[in-house]
Amino acid sequence: MWPFSRNEPRAWERIPPTFRNSTTLENPATSLANPADWLLDAMGAGSSWAGPSISETSAMRNTAVFRSVALKSGVIASLPLQVFKRGPGGRELAESHRLYPLLHGEPNDLMSAFIWKEFIVANLMLAGNHYSVIEYDNATRVVSLLPVAPQQTTVERVNGRNRYTFRFKDGQEILDQEDVVHVPGIGFDGVKGISPIQWAGRQPVGTAMALEEFVGRMHANSARPSGVFNVPKGITKEGLARLRAEFDSLYSGLRNSGKTVFADAESTWTPMQLTMADAQTLESRRFQVADIARLFGVPPHMIGETDKTSSWGTGVEQQTIGFQVYNLEPELSRIEGELNRKLFVAPYYCEFNREALSAMDAKTQSELYASAVINAGMTPNEIRKKRNLPSVGPEGDKLYVQGAVVPLDLAGTVQQGAAAPKPAEAGGKQGEQQP
């Protein structure tokens, strides 16, 4: 019944807080060399259950993460980002637009367009956000797009608008949303995206790095496994406890894996032979590669994991097409939407040239172009332009149809003129045949 009563927990039922003063920076016992988990979380480098601390930067030390990020960012960066103008007859390439050189060639004085686009996708995959500051000239025209690392940026919504704070070595700068190109990934509040590494990738990446370190240390120390430690007779409980504590500190844990054991007098160490196959370490490492590929939406065969996938055939081809449709397309649309919203006014807009994703062999490409020409799909000059070849003149700008391969506007007249006989000729032949 209203009002609902609330019973206060009794003293012995209260849950003690997990944030203790003993782990604060004010406590001299807190070591910055081995900080507490809350401090790592605040710095964006929380520890995983397997042990290693994972951040957007340290995650790139894993080969599966590095290859996934390099693959996806490199593919998108290789797509030309072009500017178009909509018109009554369709769209046309607007190479004379002021922003075309920035998006297609050089967005700022420090990098090329490829590096800038690659940086955008890498930020989205690791940190979940990308920020580029829009720089203007005295006439308020866009002259540069300067990227800023997500770790240096804070965004908050104030009075219905996003406000960005950029921290640099010589201070900080606060900008309004109109002055920043912000491409957010998936998020919770519509203001900024979440970090895929911190939210979903910390455990799989941490496990993969722990397995890699374990295998490396096993091989570095002749792959000596654990065993049985026999202590001398008559040892006291205090002595056994001290011996166990010393043994754990010297030989237990991932960092001490495979170290040689030095036993006291009358103590023996008997190793237990455990092969790598028994521990299924190799299978675990393969699973972690597939798990990291799933995190980034990359087919495992694209980052070198082909254990259970054929490297040939239609299966891999369909996976590649699915990667383009279900993974690359959302990222391309995300980037295009923010750039068009901040930089362009109708009828102008920018768009990635997705035809660059269609990689074909020479035979398939020739058949496609031949079919396009003889069916009035493309002009010869349009095809030659795609192949970086010079124009063949005005005749190359006409559309052709199959048959006599004549211009489309003359197809009917030429055909009829060649087939229909002249009236005089027809009458003469009929007269000759009459008796």
Side-chain angles (χ1 to χ4, degrees):
M1 296 178 61
W2 182 265
F4 297 104
S5 61
R6 179 182 178 184
N7 296 327
E8 293 293 334
R10 288 168 289 187
W12 57 85
E13 295 178 341
R14 295 174 183 169
I15 301 176
T18 57
F19 188 88
R20 301 179 182 274
N21 292 332
S22 59
T23 59
T24 60
L25 291 177
E26 289 80 2
N27 189 341
T30 300
S31 173
L32 293 180
N34 187 20
D37 290 341
W38 68 267
L39 182 57
L40 291 173
D41 290 334
M43 299 173 63
S47 60
S48 61
W49 294 333
S53 299
I54 303 300
S55 65
E56 290 87 356
T57 304
S58 63
M60 288 290 284
R61 298 174 183 171
N62 179 263
T63 56
V65 175
F66 185 92
R67 183 55 189 153
S68 297
V69 175
L71 172 69
K72 186 174 177 179
S73 61
V75 169
I76 293 181
S78 63
L79 301 180
L81 185 55
Q82 300 171 323
V83 180
F84 295 92
K85 179 182 180 181
R86 293 187 181 93
R91 70 175 188 176
E92 59 182 8
L93 191 64
E95 295 184 351
S96 60
H97 194 278
R98 285 186 50 85
L99 295 181
Y100 192 92
L102 295 181
L103 301 181
H104 192 265
E106 189 175 345
N108 54 71
D109 296 335
L110 304 176
M111 61 188 66
S112 65
F114 181 94
I115 301 301
W116 178 64
K117 290 180 288 186
E118 186 180 47
F119 188 69
I120 292 177
V121 182
N123 288 164
L124 289 173
M125 296 181 67
L126 296 173
N129 294 274
H130 169 77
Y131 306 94
S132 284
V133 176
I134 305 175
E135 297 184 341
Y136 303 89
D137 58 8
N138 294 333
T140 66
R141 295 175 299 188
V142 178
V143 295
S144 176
L145 298 171
L146 187 63
V148 182
Q151 293 79 10
Q152 300 176 243
T153 308
T154 303
V155 55
E156 56 183 346
R157 183 157 295 175
V158 180
N159 297 328
R161 298 183 65 83
N162 292 343
R163 184 174 64 183
Y164 298 86
T165 303
F166 299 96
R167 298 178 299 275
F168 304 102
K169 293 182 179 180
D170 55 351
Q172 68 178 21
E173 184 176 358
I174 300 176
L175 296 177
D176 185 69
Q177 62 182 25
E178 293 184 354
D179 301 326
V180 179
V181 172
H182 176 200
V183 184
I186 185 172
F188 297 136
D189 55 4
V191 178
K192 61 181 179 180
I194 61 176
S195 169
I197 294 297
Q198 295 302 323
W199 280 90
R202 180 181 299 178
Q203 304 309 329
V205 176
T207 302
M209 296 182 69
L211 285 170
E212 184 176 0
E213 183 179 356
F214 171 75
V215 173
R217 292 184 181 276
M218 288 284 287
H219 285 282
N221 295 281
S222 301
R224 292 289 183 181
S226 301
V228 178
F229 193 82
N230 298 319
V231 298
K233 295 181 179 180
I235 188 172
T236 63
K237 292 183 178 181
E238 292 78 8
L240 180 61
R242 185 175 64 254
L243 180 62
R244 181 176 179 179
E246 292 179 356
F247 185 86
D248 290 341
S249 63
L250 294 176
Y251 305 109
S252 297
L254 182 63
R255 295 185 177 274
N256 299 320
S257 175
K259 280 189 175 181
T260 303
V261 177
F262 293 92
D264 293 338
E266 300 182 4
S267 300
T268 59
W269 167 258
T270 305
M272 298 176 61
Q273 298 299 328
L274 183 64
T275 63
M276 300 294 288
D278 294 335
Q280 296 183 346
T281 305
L282 184 59
E283 293 297 327
S284 298
R285 295 193 67 188
R286 287 175 176 171
F287 174 78
Q288 291 308 128
V289 173
D291 201 19
I292 293 173
R294 177 167 52 246
L295 170 67
F296 295 113
V298 177
H301 75 272
M302 286 189 170
I303 58 175
E305 179 51 51
T306 58
D307 179 53
K308 297 182 180 180
T309 304
S310 173
S311 298
W312 304 96
T314 58
V316 172
E317 180 181 359
Q318 294 302 318
Q319 290 186 24
T320 304
I321 295 176
F323 171 67
Q324 297 176 1
V325 174
Y326 300 112
N327 194 305
L328 296 184
E329 184 61 33
E331 298 290 5
L332 296 177
S333 300
R334 190 190 309 274
I335 298 172
E336 290 170 348
E338 178 66 10
L339 293 177
N340 289 324
R341 191 172 71 94
K342 295 290 182 65
L343 303 178
F344 292 94
V345 178
Y348 293 97
Y349 67 98
C350 69
E351 184 179 289
F352 284 96
N353 185 359
R354 289 160 173 79
E355 291 185 6
L357 292 173
S358 303
M360 297 176 289
D361 56 83
K363 180 181 178 181
T364 304
Q365 192 176 58
S366 299
E367 293 176 351
L368 176 64
Y369 287 155
S371 176
V373 169
I374 64 179
N375 290 286
M378 298 178 67
T379 66
N381 281 342
E382 289 175 342
I383 295 177
R384 294 180 65 85
K385 185 177 181 180
K386 288 181 176 294
R387 301 293 301 273
N388 295 322
L389 297 174
S391 172
V392 294
E395 293 296 323
D397 294 326
K398 297 180 180 180
L399 292 174
Y400 294 85
V401 293
Q402 191 174 10
V405 191
V406 296
L408 182 62
D409 55 349
L410 300 178
T413 58
V414 174
Q415 295 264 346
Q416 293 175 2
K422 295 181 179 180
E425 296 178 356
K429 292 181 180 179
Q430 292 177 359
E432 295 176 356
Q433 292 177 357
Q434 295 178 355

